[in-house]
Amino acid sequence: MEQFNHSTPPVFPGTMKVNEQNHLEIGGIDTVALAEKYSTPLYIYDIDLIKSRINEFKSAFSTYKKETQVAYASKAFSSLALYQILAEEGVSLDVVSGGELYLAIKAGFPAEKIHFHGNNKSHQELVEALNANIGCIVVDNFTELDMINQLTTLHQKKMKVLIRVTPGIEAHTHEYITTGQADSKFGFDLSSGQAREAVELAQQHPYIDVIGLHAHIGSQIFETAGYEAVIERLMVNAKEWKKEVRFDLQVLNVGGGFGIRYTNEDQPLSIGEYALSIIKNVEQQAKNLELALPEIWIEPGRSIVGEAGTTIYTVGTEKTIPEIRKYISVDGGMADNIRPALYEAEYTGVLANKVYAPYDSKVSVAGKACESGDMLIWDLELPEVEQGDYLAVLSTGAYGYSMASNYNRLPRPAVVFVENQQDFLAIRRETYDDFMKLEQDIHRSV
Ligand code: LLP
């Protein structure tokens, strides 16, 4: 079979491969058959890859001498069926809203393994968290601390909390920056003393059990230096607060942010490499500072589901501007993947119905929304593209469906899980009738 003739063939993640029909296959299932069965646009998740990522995290951290928790960051992608799989795989869960909490509880996710994040948790959301008996709340600011104090006292229920610290360290891909005063809407600032004050205050509340500190330094991080810096900063402060306010650091949560491959230019570290560095640095700091080893918690989102997701589109119209560019348009775009428009995020793709063919065409892939910025991929090398071809865009599993919208009244696509030659409809496609469920007819009789 003819191989790619362009310089950078995509690296296929997980169980993705090309079958005898020259079609893209995931989980042992032909994606062309899936597109025909479920229609397009279609998100396909490789469940085997999700499970193996979870296992990589779990086994990488199992070498640590104290307990560790891998909490999946739901915001990357949530669904009832995914929560059920995660529960079976034994991970914890990070939720950031009453909506995510509701879905997790509906999925039967063990409440004691749920951590609640967010910079503006409402009174109602905190009540829901208390009623559900979740494992812990990551407290973000003084208003929230006050609300938790009042509610736990009223309900006479103890609640474990982590104090979210703005560490003054920001990491993105290849570099991290250290800033004195961290200008962020999240967390308690270290440099001005707010974080220490929060710890001290929270410890005075009889129904609040302060078990540790949390910091999240960024997304799509390819180096370990940012994690090293944040570990040092949090543990040095924990040591001071131990003396000053008798704070006992039982849990150190270093957040998520582990990078993934979107295109061949991305070269993320392995999960083992991130884990090893985190473990080594926590152990080193504990030794230097004469602190007991804390539990290590992490919150990966993208690195668990990102590469496991593929979106299949049908190619529709084309427009060639001589000497300039050839556009092809697909039946989705920014409504199902806002990341290129929002962050200039880059993706790669292949034609699912003819993967290996001479790559003698270069196209720019446009979405169908009424917005010039609705472009999915610029200058993608592909075989000759025809109307009706299926374009597979790789690594769309994180922040794709979860950030999808109904812009232009495009119904949100279906989500299919594949594993061991079986497909399972995890979220059905939205319909026009679904739109009508929310609408009120001005002529309706009252
Ligand atoms: N923990 C906290 C406190 C976070 O804020 C985040 C992500 C995570 C964990 C998970 O990070 P991950 O491992 O997925 O990188 N919409 C953006 C990403 C926003 C991330 C927000 N926080 C995107 O599409 O790239």
Side-chain angles (χ1 to χ4, degrees):
M1 196 174 280
E2 194 166 358
Q3 294 298 307
F4 287 91
N5 67 356
H6 62 344
S7 52
T8 52
V11 177
F12 290 146
T15 65
M16 184 181 281
K17 60 179 197 182
V18 181
N19 67 16
E20 287 297 302
Q21 286 77 48
N22 197 15
H23 291 177
L24 192 69
E25 191 179 284
I26 308 175
I29 304 196
D30 189 325
T31 59
V32 173
L34 289 174
E36 273 152 20
K37 179 170 175 186
Y38 295 106
S39 185
T40 60
L42 181 67
Y43 298 97
I44 301 171
Y45 279 88
D46 180 348
I47 298 307
D48 187 73
L49 181 53
I50 292 180
K51 289 180 181 171
S52 58
R53 284 288 149 82
I54 290 173
N55 283 323
E56 270 183 75
F57 272 113
K58 288 207 307 200
S59 73
F61 279 98
S62 68
T63 61
Y64 186 55
K65 294 187 202 86
K66 284 283 287 269
E67 269 176 55
T68 56
Q69 268 196 48
V70 179
Y72 169 70
S74 296
K75 73 201 89 177
F77 169 60
S78 61
S79 87
L80 198 77
L82 179 72
Y83 283 149
Q84 288 165 339
I85 291 169
L86 295 169
E88 282 165 22
E89 294 301 303
V91 286
S92 299
L93 198 65
D94 147 14
V95 300
V96 293
S97 69
E100 286 182 354
L101 176 62
Y102 176 84
L103 201 61
I105 299 292
K106 282 274 177 200
F109 201 92
E112 69 279 7
K113 288 176 132 179
I114 300 178
H115 314 160
F116 198 173
H117 263 288
N119 64 302
N120 188 19
K121 302 175 189 82
S122 69
H123 186 272
Q124 177 61 29
E125 286 175 320
L126 289 171
V127 169
E128 286 162 13
L130 271 186
N131 286 343
N133 295 317
I134 67 162
C136 89
I137 295 178
V138 186
V139 186
D140 209 274
N141 52 65
F142 289 111
T143 323
E144 181 187 339
L145 191 55
D146 204 34
M147 286 198 288
I148 298 174
N149 180 34
Q150 285 174 30
L151 283 170
T152 49
T153 309
L154 185 72
H155 292 250
Q156 302 209 339
K157 253 187 183 174
K158 269 216 158 197
M159 177 54 76
K160 289 189 177 135
V161 304
L162 294 180
I163 300 294
R164 177 162 182 174
V165 174
T166 321
I169 292 160
E170 243 185 80
H172 296 285
T173 312
H174 288 298
E175 76 249 24
Y176 79 93
I177 47 166
T178 314
T179 55
Q181 176 76 37
D183 183 3
S184 162
K185 73 168 180 171
F186 295 111
F188 295 96
D189 179 41
L190 258 188
S191 50
S192 66
Q194 287 189 342
R196 196 202 103 138
E197 197 186 328
V199 167
E200 191 175 3
L201 194 62
Q203 290 193 142
Q204 288 161 11
H205 297 320
Y207 287 99
I208 296 181
D209 182 8
V210 188
I211 57 170
L213 301 177
H214 171 283
H216 172 78
I217 54 172
S219 283
Q220 189 62 352
I221 300 171
F222 287 175
E223 303 285 337
T224 56
Y227 295 103
E228 287 167 25
V230 82
I231 288 165
E232 179 181 358
R233 194 163 281 191
L234 291 188
M235 289 184 74
V236 165
N237 278 280
K239 171 76 179 186
E240 283 172 19
W241 302 341
K242 188 180 163 87
K243 280 185 252 147
E244 292 166 10
V245 294
R246 298 166 142 225
F247 170 61
D248 179 20
L249 182 75
Q250 299 162 49
V251 172
L252 181 67
N253 187 330
V254 296
F258 311 104
I260 67 161
R261 176 182 286 118
Y262 284 99
T263 68
N264 285 8
E265 276 71 59
D266 297 331
Q267 300 289 340
L269 299 175
S270 70
I271 286 168
E273 286 169 298
Y274 291 113
L276 197 68
S277 158
I278 291 171
I279 292 170
K280 223 178 69 194
N281 279 278
V282 172
E283 285 175 348
Q284 192 60 50
Q285 291 299 334
K287 198 169 158 215
N288 294 351
L289 297 162
E290 294 176 345
L291 279 176
L293 280 181
E295 290 185 19
I296 300 175
W297 293 9
I298 52 158
E299 295 166 343
R302 190 189 318 264
S303 50
I304 289 180
V305 293
E307 291 179 24
T310 304
T311 311
I312 309 284
Y313 300 98
T314 303
V315 175
T317 56
E318 72 145 275
K319 172 186 175 178
T320 303
I321 311 168
E323 312 289 315
I324 298 184
R325 178 182 304 286
K326 177 173 176 176
Y327 287 93
I328 59 160
S329 292
V330 294
D331 53 355
M334 65 188 290
D336 58 80
N337 186 358
I338 190 70
R339 299 190 72 258
L342 198 57
Y343 315 115
E344 295 180 354
E346 290 183 5
Y347 288 86
T348 190
V350 294
L351 290 179
N353 56 315
K354 47 183 181 203
V355 185
Y356 294 138
Y359 273 60
D360 44 19
S361 177
K362 190 187 266 188
V363 298
S364 290
V365 182
K368 71 179 268 127
C370 289
E371 167 97 35
S372 310
D374 182 18
M375 292 296 299
L376 283 175
I377 306 177
W378 292 98
D379 298 327
L380 175 66
E381 287 179 39
L382 285 178
E384 204 52 52
V385 187
E386 294 158 294
Q387 187 178 28
D389 280 340
Y390 291 119
L391 178 75
V393 177
L394 274 55
S395 296
T396 57
Y399 307 103
Y401 189 88
S402 65
M403 294 178 83
S405 76
N406 290 125
Y407 183 48
N408 291 180
R409 286 284 181 199
L410 299 179
R412 272 177 297 180
V415 179
V416 171
F417 289 180
V418 292
E419 189 179 20
N420 298 328
Q421 280 117 39
Q422 294 195 325
D423 56 286
F424 168 79
L425 180 64
I427 307 178
R428 73 155 168 81
R429 184 175 305 282
E430 233 171 3
T431 63
Y432 297 154
D433 275 348
D434 290 327
F435 296 159
M436 287 309 290
K437 282 192 188 136
L438 304 176
E439 298 297 325
Q440 306 300 317
D441 186 340
I442 207 161
H443 297 300
R444 77 179 189 273
S445 49
V446 271

